Amino acid sequence: PQAFPSASQADIGVIGGSGFYSFLEDVTEVAVQTPYGDPSDSLFVGEIAGRRVAFLPRHGRDHHLPPHRINYRANLWALRSLGVRQVIGPCAVGGLRQEYGPGTLLVPDQLVDRTKSRVQTFYDGEPLPDGRTPNVVHVSFADPYCATGRAAALAAARGQDWEAVDGGAMVVIEGPRFSTRAESVWHAAQGWAVVGMTGHPEALLARELELCYTSMALVTDLDAGAEAGEGVSHKEVLAEFAKNVDRLRGVLFDAVSRLPETGERSCACVDALDGWDPGVELP
Ligand code: ADE
């Protein structure tokens, strides 16, 4: 029996931009294959504050995958197969209100799906390459994010003197283009707080694997409907993200240290499949 977890085991997953993985201590690169295809990249497993963490660059380490081509199913499956049970997903978003300008950190409590082309379930009744066929499953998604993870993220931000916005709806668009001004005005008029391109189906697929999922949304720009200028540019998004990446990493590391041990999770995420037979064994 192993006294210590193997170098490729982790209990917390971080799906994020490329500025993070090299900061884990003693990183082990693990290539994982899944019945749903290949994840965005290798997983980088290391330690933060004594916790085992697997980092996955969402767009690939060289950022070659646009939001609609990310294999979200493979990413979540791969994380779970290393032992991960709690996931934090930092992402860049546009603000839909004047007061949520660049540099705002928001921990959403709701999500609106405006994507069009993405496979959003593991349990689609289609046979997998290994011959198994998942059953149909309808999970509850009324509250898309883990309550415990959200509290950890908010406390971590506060601890780093960065008062995060507690709650708000993230609308996820298909991309890769940004919204038109009319779309953006409409999103804002619905009362939605921020707009991004990767938050869905990432959170839903985590739920389908009984993983806790917490989103940390960094506002990089005011979206077209919330500003009077030229609209968003990708350059603006990257520059603002780069400006905040050190702070964000600090909050992330602190949030990791505040998450419960895997065996001590007491949130509803743990029982997401209660009453369902997924027809395939979860990794
Ligand atoms: N990611 C960063 N800024 C964004 C915006 N304005 N719209 C959609 N996704 C974004």
Side-chain angles (χ1 to χ4, degrees):
Q2 264 182 330
F4 298 101
S6 90
S8 58
Q9 288 286 298
D11 56 4
I12 295 165
V14 174
I15 308 177
S18 311
F20 292 114
Y21 67 89
S22 55
F23 297 87
L24 300 180
E25 291 162 28
D26 296 327
V27 166
T28 303
E29 181 172 347
V30 191
V32 184
Q33 288 174 328
T34 85
Y36 294 93
D38 293 329
S40 297
D41 206 322
S42 297
L43 284 76
F44 297 87
V45 184
E47 214 155 273
I48 296 175
R51 305 296 302 269
R52 305 285 310 163
V53 177
F55 177 81
L56 175 59
R58 188 184 278 119
H59 299 272
R61 76 186 89 177
D62 55 358
H63 212 100
H64 68 286
L65 289 169
H68 64 288
R69 297 211 36 230
I70 292 168
N71 188 340
Y72 295 95
R73 294 199 297 187
N75 287 353
L76 274 305
W77 194 274
L79 284 167
R80 189 174 160 112
S81 70
L82 296 189
V84 165
R85 294 296 180 270
Q86 298 169 87
V87 177
I88 304 181
C91 62
V93 296
L96 291 171
R97 296 180 201 167
Q98 286 292 330
E99 63 269 32
Y100 297 162
T104 301
L105 184 63
L106 185 139
V107 181
D109 63 352
Q110 277 300 322
L111 179 156
V112 176
D113 171 22
R114 295 276 303 151
T115 66
K116 300 177 203 298
S117 74
R118 307 179 187 185
V119 187
Q120 45 173 300
T121 182
F122 289 102
Y123 312 118
D124 54 7
E126 287 290 317
L128 297 174
D130 61 13
R132 294 176 299 173
T133 303
N135 291 328
V136 175
V137 168
H138 302 281
V139 292
S140 166
F141 202 47
D143 295 300
Y145 301 112
C146 175
T148 307
R150 292 190 66 256
L154 289 163
R158 209 167 295 125
Q160 306 278 318
D161 273 339
W162 193 2
E163 195 57 42
V165 179
D166 179 359
M170 170 160 65
V171 52
V172 185
I173 59 171
E174 177 68 9
R177 67 171 178 85
F178 294 110
S179 305
T180 65
R181 220 176 283 280
E183 288 165 342
S184 182
V185 166
W186 175 60
H187 294 161
Q190 300 313 302
W192 304 334
V194 292
V195 53
M197 299 181 194
T198 57
H200 190 79
E202 200 168 270
L204 170 60
L205 293 167
R207 177 64 53 83
E208 281 201 347
L209 295 181
E210 295 188 333
L211 304 175
C212 300
Y213 184 93
T214 305
S215 171
M216 279 176 30
L218 171 70
V219 176
T220 53
D221 53 270
L222 278 178
D223 204 44
E227 57 110 57
E230 294 296 305
V232 198
S233 77
H234 188 54
K235 218 169 123 189
E236 189 186 350
V237 170
L238 291 180
E240 188 61 30
F241 203 85
K243 244 198 316 196
N244 286 283
V245 78
D246 286 334
R247 290 214 279 176
L248 191 57
R249 192 185 307 112
V251 175
L252 193 66
F253 281 24
D254 194 0
V256 161
S257 74
R258 291 171 192 264
L259 290 177
E261 295 294 335
T262 295
E264 288 164 15
R265 291 190 299 158
S266 58
C267 48
C269 317
V270 182
D271 302 317
L273 295 178
D274 263 19
W276 295 99
D277 169 15
V280 286
E281 207 177 312
L282 303 192

